[in-house]
């Protein structure tokens, strides 16, 4: 009677679950590793399956004994307890056999570990810098050397807050994707500007923490063209959940084309350093830069979230001398969340500084790219 | 006239007035503040840990509410991080560790035939440090900037960015560590010096053995944590740069120090639970523990190896390949003594005469699910697989199987097992079984699906996620609400037992054979064993 009550409760529970599941079924339900797109990810998948099978066998064996005992050795069916204990043979066996199984597992695993750490002879080397809360990429060696950009979350705020429907790549989309050629060994060198971050693309089986002040590395060789998504996986503060990683793997000719386009962009940006922009142009451009880089802490209202994230509206720095604010943005403020933004172009920095100096009731002079360039160390 | 005054001041007068009273010289709240009695202090520990379990549980429900659906609905990401941090700290240091110290206080003197703990006043102090530490932790939410949102591991240099709540947390950790060390010294001294004549070390109940080993782990590990948070404190305020590369430090140093504490901590939490289970399973199998000596050796082996595996929490920080291999092999070796324990428990049940009262149900639940957590631990020990799973929900699922289905289930088994002895009254068996089944079902709803989330790529400690993770998160959240409600039933059962349970006999469990069942009435006298029993 009590049993049947329990059964009906469990049934009701699962009915509820099914309803919940159906409501979330707009997307396919992910429950296993993403499809591997590199040999390393395949090896990891294979190792995982081998170990799961070994575990399954042990699990069924051990708990077969337990559940059989629970069924057949119950007092309620009159089973009398036998008083045996201590048996050296059995105890040696169940120490030695698991140890042997572990040695068997360790052999193939060791090979994969060594392969995973082998970052030698890469075709392209990319330095990845973790910032609160975005990723900076510098192509250091190989085709594309010199390319440098910052990659931030592209999902609009209203999708996150629920006032717009969520897009296909919700929280997994960025403004500037990392582009790499297919079939080439890519070495990723990680570091960070502020706190520890961690760079991860599941489909490549590549994950490496980014440690401020130190460099670490990992590598991958993507064997299929396509766009691959990942996220920062080391808690790095407030917007930790909002700094995705997107890598687009393209064919060699397409990669060469992309490199050409990036170089042209960089050349144009260098030209801009000498130009003088109108106030309205700077404010317009600055608003976009602000939305991509500053808004998470200082908020769209410019009021920040004190005490960690001070307000810009009415701020002494923002309304003060130009040099003070340029230095703050270029160098950051030690031991606070305010980091250096020197990776941005002079024009972008001039624009965003001018924007903050002319918004939310602030009224201060405009800043031109040349002034920012002059204060770079 | 003056004689009356003298009489009033005289200590003996006081004693006479309360001589046959069942507790110390004071009544009411002062009894609990001034008590030096191991049972009173055990009770304080147990209630304290239940209160912290409830607070930490409410935080977990908050986390699961935000994760019920993609998008930000309930709280901002900053507060979400504060909740995950405080949930972890409060559950580990406020709920799970104190609950087993509560068991130690109640049980160790009764099980070894001692009158009380060795250092009675120290015992009082080690408990009364805890409420202050807990207050600091909870107060940090009300500081400017709120509680630290850095994860319970308090990784540098994120900790340097936090507000004053971080400092409160650091001091709370100091005080908690002090309490643990004092408690451990007391336990070690009691076990080594106060055993009844004839109670040799190898005749001690296994619960006492596991606590002896745990106490040594605590004395060795807690100062390391205190060092780590003190370095954080001086980095924050006094210009040191232990964890700042710009001054010659290294953020990874923090992780090494923390996990040098953190991995033994895992066994600090697990071993007393193993001890409880090793009392419960033989009692309800009506059969002695299969391999007593090998259980003692396995526990010691686990404790020793736990000091050389810490960097398996750090495979992704980028260490040399030899480092990864060393920590992987060492971690895999731990599976051997852990396996010995599981095999022993199953062999104890084999051909016993089993009954399934609530303590045994929780013990079986423990055995089944702790082993599951052990298996996912083996998966995570493998470097390449861990690199894929690290900092995902798979890890969250893994350690909750060990901490909740392991330590918490063992604690529930222990409470139902000893509640009749402690209170002199039986709990309601039907309600106890309900509590077990509801906890078991809801626990698995919360955490089993999180394995899938982790494998599919959902990072931990994020307040928002892609809709492909929605289904599992919904199931997990519903499970969390149910698990929370099921614990209200537990509270009801315990309160009802204390108030109006049926009187319990001296030995309610047929197969239980340690001293508290065979030599002490139910409930036991206020001063346990005024004359020590002689063992064989």
């Amino acid at each position: 009677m009590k049993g049947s009550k329990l059964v009906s409760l469990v049934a009701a529970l699962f009915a509820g679950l099914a309803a919940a599941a159906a409501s979330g079924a707009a997307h396919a339900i992910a429950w296993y590793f993403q499809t591997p797109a590199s040999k390393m990810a395949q090896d990891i998948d294979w190792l995982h399956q081998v170990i799961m099978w070994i575990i399954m066998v042990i699990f069924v064996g051990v708990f077969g004994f337990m559940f059989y005992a629970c069924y057949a050795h119950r007092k309620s069916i009159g089973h009398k307890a036998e008083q045996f204990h201590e048996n050296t043979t059995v105890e040696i066996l169940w120490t030695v056999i698991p140890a042997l199984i572990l040695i068997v597992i360790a052999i193939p695993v060791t090979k994969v570990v060594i392969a995973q750490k082998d970052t030698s002879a890469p075709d392209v080397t990319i330095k990845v810098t973790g910032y609160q809360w975005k990723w900076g990429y510098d192509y250091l060696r190989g085709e594309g050397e010199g390319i440098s950009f910052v990659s931030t979350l592209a999902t609009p705020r209203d999708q996150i807050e629920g006032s717009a429907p969520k897009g296909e790549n919700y929280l997994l989309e960025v403004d500037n994707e990392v582009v790499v050629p297919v079939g080439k060994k890519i070495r990723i060198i990680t570091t960070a500007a502020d706190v520890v971050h961690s760079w991860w693309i599941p489909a490549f089986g590549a994950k490496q923490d980014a440690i401020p002040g130190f460099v670490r590395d990992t590598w991958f060789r993507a064997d299929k063209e396509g766009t691959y998504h990942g996220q920062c996986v080391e808690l790095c503060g407030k917007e930790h959940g909002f700094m995705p990683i997107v890598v687009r793997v393209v064919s060699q000719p397409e990669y060469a084309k992309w490199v050409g386009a990036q170089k042209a962009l960089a050349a144009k940006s260098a030209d801009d350093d000498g130009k003088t922009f109108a106030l309205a142009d700077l404010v317009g451009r600055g608003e976009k830069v602000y939305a991509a880089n500053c808004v998470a802490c200082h908020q769209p209202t410019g009021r920040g979230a004190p005490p960690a994230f001070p307000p810009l509206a009415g701020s002494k720095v923002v309304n003060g001398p130009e040099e003070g604010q340029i230095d703050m943005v270029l160098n950051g403020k030690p031991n606070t969340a305010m980091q250096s933004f020197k990776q941005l172009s002079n024009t972008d920095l001039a624009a965003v500084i001018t924007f903050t100096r002319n918004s939310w009731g602030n009224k201060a002079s405009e800043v031109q790219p040349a002034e920012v360039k002059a204060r770079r160390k | 006239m003056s004689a009356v005054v003298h009489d009033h001041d005289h200590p003996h007068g006081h004693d006479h007035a309360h001589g046959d009273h069942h507790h110390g010289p004071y009544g009411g709240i002062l009894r609990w503040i001034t008590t030096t009695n191991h049972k009173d202090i055990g009770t304080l520990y147990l209630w304290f840990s239940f209160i912290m379990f409830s607070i930490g549980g409410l935080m977990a429900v908050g986390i699961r509410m935000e994760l019920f659906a993609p998008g930000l609905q309930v709280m901002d990401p900053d507060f979400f991080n504060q909740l995950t941090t405080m949930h972890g700290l409060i559950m580990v240091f406020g709920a799970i560790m104190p609950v087993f110290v509560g068991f130690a206080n109640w049980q160790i003197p009764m099980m070894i035939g001692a009158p009380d703990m060795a250092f009675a006043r120290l015992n009082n102090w080690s408990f009364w440090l805890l409420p202050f530490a807990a207050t600091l932790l909870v107060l940090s939410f009300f500081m400017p900037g709120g509680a630290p949102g850095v994860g319970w591991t308090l990784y540098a240099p994120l900790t340097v960015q936090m507000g004053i709540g971080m400092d409160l947390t650091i001091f709370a950790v100091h005080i908690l560590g002090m309490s643990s060390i004092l408690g451990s010294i007391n336990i070690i001294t009691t076990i080594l010096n106060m055993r009844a004549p004839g109670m040799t070390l190898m005749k001690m109940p296994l619960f006492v053995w596991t606590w002896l080993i745990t106490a040594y782990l605590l004395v060795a590990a807690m100062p390391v944590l205190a060092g780590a948070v003190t370095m954080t404190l001086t980095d924050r305020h006094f210009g040191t740069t232990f964890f700042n590369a710009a001054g010659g430090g290294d953020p990874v140093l923090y992780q090494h120090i923390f996990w040098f504490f953190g991995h033994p901590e895992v066994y600090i939490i697990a071993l007393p639970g193993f001890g409880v289970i090793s009392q419960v399973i033989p009692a309800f199998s009506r059969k002695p523990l299969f391999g007593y000596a090998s259980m003692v050796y396995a526990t010691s082996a686990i404790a020793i190896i736990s000091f050389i595996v810490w960097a398996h929490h750090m495979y992704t920080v980028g260490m040399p390949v030899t480092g990864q291999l060393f920590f992987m092999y060492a971690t895999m070796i731990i599976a051997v003594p852990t396996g010995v324990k599981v095999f022993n428990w199953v062999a104890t049940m084999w051909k016993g005469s089993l009954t399934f009262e609530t303590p045994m149900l929780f013990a079986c639940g423990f055995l089944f699910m702790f082993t599951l957590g052990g298996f996912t631990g083996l998966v995570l020990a493998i470097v390449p697989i861990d690199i894929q799973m690290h900092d995902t929900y798979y890890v969250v699922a893994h350690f909750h199987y060990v901490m909740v289905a392991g330590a918490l289930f063992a604690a529930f088994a222990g409470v139902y097992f000893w509640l009749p002895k402690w209170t002199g009254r039986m709990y309601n068996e039907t309600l106890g079984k309900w509590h077990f089944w509801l906890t078991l079902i809801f626990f698995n709803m919360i955490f089993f699906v999180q394995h899938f989330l982790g494998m599919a790529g959902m990072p931990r400690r994020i307040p928002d996620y892609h809709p492909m993770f929605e289904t599992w998160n919904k199931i997990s959240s519903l499970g969390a609400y149910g698990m929370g409600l099921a614990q209200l039933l537990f509270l009801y059962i315990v309160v009802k037992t204390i108030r109006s349970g049926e009187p319990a006999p001296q030995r309610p469990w047929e197969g239980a054979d340690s001293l508290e069942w065979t030599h002490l009435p139910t409930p036991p006298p206020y001063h346990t064993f005024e004359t020590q029993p002689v063992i064989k």
Side-chain angles (χ1 to χ4, degrees):
Chain A
M1 191 188 71
K2 272 163 208 147
S4 70
K5 244 196 249 168
L6 195 70
V7 168
S8 62
L9 180 94
V10 172
L13 208 74
F14 278 94
L17 286 186
S23 75
H27 285 262
I29 298 169
W31 70 278
Y32 194 65
F33 292 139
Q34 296 179 14
T35 316
S38 76
K39 170 103 184 3
M40 182 53 61
Q42 266 169 25
D43 287 350
I44 290 171
D45 193 344
W46 177 78
L47 280 177
H48 180 254
Q49 291 190 31
V50 169
I51 287 166
M52 286 310 288
W53 279 111
I54 295 173
I55 284 174
M56 283 299 231
V57 171
I58 302 174
F59 194 80
V60 170
V62 172
F63 291 103
F65 272 98
M66 186 183 105
F67 284 114
Y68 183 78
C70 288
Y71 170 75
H73 305 150
R74 278 174 295 158
K75 191 187 180 201
S76 56
I77 56 168
H79 193 270
K80 295 271 183 300
E82 295 182 18
Q83 294 302 309
F84 65 84
H85 60 99
E86 316 278 340
N87 181 325
T88 313
T89 317
V90 172
E91 289 175 66
I92 288 176
L93 278 181
W94 71 33
T95 310
V96 172
I97 293 174
L100 292 176
I101 294 174
L102 289 173
I103 291 171
V104 171
I105 294 176
I107 294 165
V109 168
T110 302
K111 284 185 190 151
V112 180
V113 175
I114 291 169
Q116 200 168 23
K117 287 301 280 188
D118 179 16
T119 55
S120 62
D123 297 305
V124 178
T125 303
I126 305 173
K127 185 178 88 172
V128 179
T129 310
Y131 299 95
Q132 283 171 318
W133 290 280
K134 56 187 170 281
W135 294 98
Y137 295 94
D138 297 280
Y139 286 58
L140 296 185
R141 287 260 175 83
E143 190 179 359
E145 187 175 326
I147 293 175
S148 172
F149 55 87
V150 171
S151 174
T152 41
L153 178 73
T155 304
R157 209 70 211 170
D158 51 1
Q159 285 190 20
I160 296 171
E161 278 150 13
S163 48
K166 302 198 180 347
E168 192 198 349
N169 290 316
Y170 178 70
L171 296 187
L172 299 175
E173 52 202 341
V174 295
D175 52 358
N176 297 310
E177 296 168 348
V178 181
V179 178
V180 297
V182 70
K184 293 284 169 64
K185 184 169 184 177
I186 314 292
R187 180 177 177 219
I188 296 287
I189 296 181
T190 64
T191 187
D194 32 52
V195 299
V196 182
H197 302 267
S198 190
W199 192 90
W200 182 36
I201 293 289
F204 301 157
K207 180 186 289 165
Q208 178 57 55
D209 288 2
I211 318 283
F214 290 84
V215 290
R216 297 285 199 267
D217 65 352
T218 184
W219 69 278
F220 64 86
R221 189 196 299 272
D223 52 23
K224 277 195 286 273
E225 289 177 37
T227 306
Y228 301 95
H229 305 265
Q231 282 173 275
C232 176
V233 279
E234 183 61 62
L235 179 60
C236 55
K238 178 167 159 281
E239 303 287 312
H240 161 59
F242 304 91
M243 50 183 293
I245 299 146
V246 180
V247 176
R248 188 148 49 89
V249 178
V250 297
S251 65
Q252 181 56 45
E254 218 175 312
Y255 180 68
K257 221 164 80 188
W258 177 80
V259 168
Q262 290 294 309
K263 294 260 156 110
L265 260 177
K268 183 175 176 296
S269 155
D271 283 353
D272 284 352
D273 286 356
K275 283 191 196 157
T276 303
F277 290 85
L279 177 67
D281 291 343
L282 284 172
V283 169
R285 182 168 179 164
E287 191 170 3
K288 291 197 194 89
V289 179
Y290 185 84
N293 295 284
C294 318
V295 75
C297 298
H298 293 296
Q299 303 298 314
T301 55
R303 287 206 211 102
F309 312 120
L312 299 182
S315 149
K316 276 195 191 124
V317 177
V318 176
N319 291 294
E322 291 164 11
E323 297 78 30
Q325 194 184 359
I326 295 172
D327 287 350
M328 175 75 86
V329 176
L330 272 179
N331 306 321
K333 189 173 176 188
N335 294 337
T336 66
M338 182 62 195
Q339 49 172 287
S340 160
F341 284 86
K342 63 173 185 280
Q343 75 278 4
L344 296 180
S345 73
N346 294 331
T347 315
D348 279 347
L349 287 175
V352 75
I353 291 171
T354 306
F355 168 71
T356 59
R357 291 168 81 84
N358 292 280
S359 304
W360 318 299
N362 293 341
K363 201 70 211 145
S365 54
E366 67 192 54
V367 171
Q368 292 295 341
E371 296 172 68
V372 178
K373 195 180 177 190
R375 295 205 69 81
R376 276 191 196 263
K377 282 176 191 143
Chain B
M1 200 52 192
S2 65
V4 175
V5 174
H6 269 285
D7 208 32
H8 187 76
D9 280 352
H10 204 275
H12 285 287
H14 204 85
D15 268 355
H16 275 295
H18 297 272
D20 53 353
H21 215 273
H22 72 285
H23 57 71
Y26 298 103
I29 185 77
L30 268 182
R31 167 185 172 189
W32 299 103
I33 292 173
T34 61
T35 183
T36 54
N37 180 280
H38 75 99
K39 298 192 188 74
D40 283 355
I41 294 171
T43 304
L44 286 171
Y45 267 108
L46 293 171
W47 279 111
F48 173 81
S49 70
F50 185 80
I51 292 166
M52 297 313 281
F53 175 61
S54 308
I55 296 173
L58 276 178
M59 291 175 178
V61 167
I63 292 167
R64 289 310 325 171
M65 279 167 67
E66 180 53 60
L67 291 173
F68 185 76
L72 294 176
Q73 292 89 12
V74 184
M75 58 188 75
D76 68 89
D78 207 18
F79 188 65
F80 181 88
N81 289 344
Q82 297 177 24
L83 283 188
T84 54
T85 306
M86 283 298 150
H87 165 74
L89 287 172
I90 284 178
M91 285 304 201
V92 168
F93 293 104
I96 288 290
M97 287 169 74
V99 78
F100 287 113
V101 184
F103 280 114
N105 258 293
W106 260 100
Q107 289 305 127
I108 288 175
M110 295 205 289
M111 291 175 123
I112 64 172
D116 204 306
M117 297 293 281
F119 304 121
R121 289 190 180 84
L122 190 74
N123 203 10
N124 172 292
W125 194 38
S126 32
F127 171 77
W128 279 107
L129 284 169
L130 290 181
F132 292 97
T135 310
L136 282 180
L137 280 181
V138 174
L139 265 185
S140 68
F141 276 101
F142 303 98
M143 295 295 124
V150 296
W152 85 280
T153 50
L154 310 176
Y155 273 12
L158 187 57
T159 43
V160 177
Q161 292 178 356
M162 295 294 133
I164 194 171
M166 187 73 227
D167 302 313
L168 297 197
T169 303
I170 289 173
F171 290 130
V173 169
H174 280 144
I175 298 172
L176 290 163
M178 232 190 303
S179 161
S180 289
I181 293 169
L182 297 177
S184 300
I185 291 171
N186 206 349
I187 287 168
I188 293 171
T189 313
T190 307
I191 296 174
L192 292 185
N193 291 326
M194 294 176 66
R195 277 168 289 130
M199 171 77 76
T200 59
L201 283 176
M202 290 308 273
K203 276 186 192 161
M204 294 194 309
L206 213 72
F207 175 76
V208 182
W209 253 115
T210 55
W211 245 115
L212 180 63
I213 294 166
T214 304
Y216 275 105
L217 284 181
L218 276 165
V219 172
M222 293 309 288
V224 180
L225 175 66
V229 295
T230 307
M231 288 155 97
T232 303
L233 186 76
T234 61
D235 266 16
R236 284 169 54 77
H237 296 296
F238 306 117
T240 58
T241 51
F242 291 111
F243 309 129
N244 182 351
D250 184 349
V252 178
L253 173 66
Y254 176 86
Q255 300 185 20
H256 279 295
I257 300 174
F258 179 84
W259 287 112
F260 187 80
F261 145 81
H263 203 77
E265 169 70 13
V266 171
Y267 292 99
I268 287 166
I269 288 170
L271 292 184
F274 292 176
V276 172
I277 298 302
S278 303
Q279 301 302 127
V280 171
I281 286 183
F284 294 90
S285 305
R286 292 162 181 78
K287 189 165 161 280
L289 196 63
F290 179 79
Y292 173 89
S294 66
M295 285 296 246
V296 172
Y297 302 144
T299 311
S300 313
I302 290 172
I304 291 164
I305 304 173
S306 77
F307 279 103
I308 56 162
V309 298
W310 77 89
H312 68 210
H313 298 268
M314 302 165 54
Y315 285 149
T316 62
V317 298
M319 65 182 102
V321 68
T322 43
Q324 288 190 335
L325 290 175
F326 170 80
F327 286 108
M328 177 174 79
Y329 297 149
T331 306
M332 289 167 82
I333 288 172
I334 275 207
V336 174
T338 313
V340 167
K341 297 196 79 95
V342 172
F343 300 143
N344 259 298
W345 287 319
V346 174
T348 305
M349 290 167 71
W350 189 250
K351 299 209 167 165
S353 179
L354 304 177
T355 52
F356 295 94
E357 289 88 346
T358 311
M360 184 61 166
L361 286 178
F362 271 106
C364 292
F366 163 94
L367 190 49
F368 188 73
M369 288 192 300
F370 175 81
T371 307
L372 227 153
F375 280 136
T376 54
L378 181 63
V379 172
L380 289 172
I382 309 297
V383 173
I385 305 178
D386 178 80
I387 284 180
Q388 190 71 311
M389 311 272 213
H390 181 76
D391 268 327
T392 69
Y393 262 88
Y394 192 90
V395 176
V396 177
H398 157 69
F399 69 72
H400 280 93
Y401 267 83
V402 184
M403 300 279 143
V404 182
L408 181 67
F409 271 44
F412 281 140
V415 168
Y416 285 109
F417 187 53
W418 281 305
L419 201 57
K421 178 57 70 178
W422 297 341
T423 62
R425 294 168 187 279
M426 285 306 284
Y427 62 89
N428 183 318
E429 193 62 62
T430 311
L431 289 180
K433 284 180 176 162
W434 269 98
H435 175 227
F436 167 74
W437 286 109
L438 290 176
T439 306
L440 182 86
I441 291 165
F442 287 126
F443 167 81
N444 281 292
M445 259 177 81
I446 306 173
F447 293 110
F448 197 77
V449 297
Q450 292 185 359
H451 293 112
F452 303 144
L453 283 175
M455 281 196 285
M458 178 163 163
R460 63 192 286 206
R461 293 166 171 167
I462 57 173
D464 193 3
Y465 52 84
H466 186 275
M468 68 180 158
F469 302 128
E470 185 174 0
T471 305
W472 302 132
N473 273 298
K474 281 211 157 40
I475 294 173
S476 191
S477 291
L478 291 174
Y481 308 151
M483 175 108 174
L485 291 175
Q487 303 327 306
L488 294 179
L489 177 61
F490 173 66
L491 178 65
Y492 173 77
I493 295 169
V494 171
V495 171
K496 188 160 174 271
T497 307
I498 294 170
R499 289 209 167 158
S500 60
E502 297 286 319
Q506 174 174 336
R507 189 161 71 132
W509 317 119
E510 199 185 348
D513 61 357
S514 43
L515 288 182
E516 78 274 28
W517 309 110
T518 55
H519 282 64
L520 288 171
T522 291
Y526 192 62
H527 293 291
T528 314
F529 293 118
E530 296 199 351
T531 31
Q532 292 201 301
V534 176
I535 315 299
K536 276 187 243 180

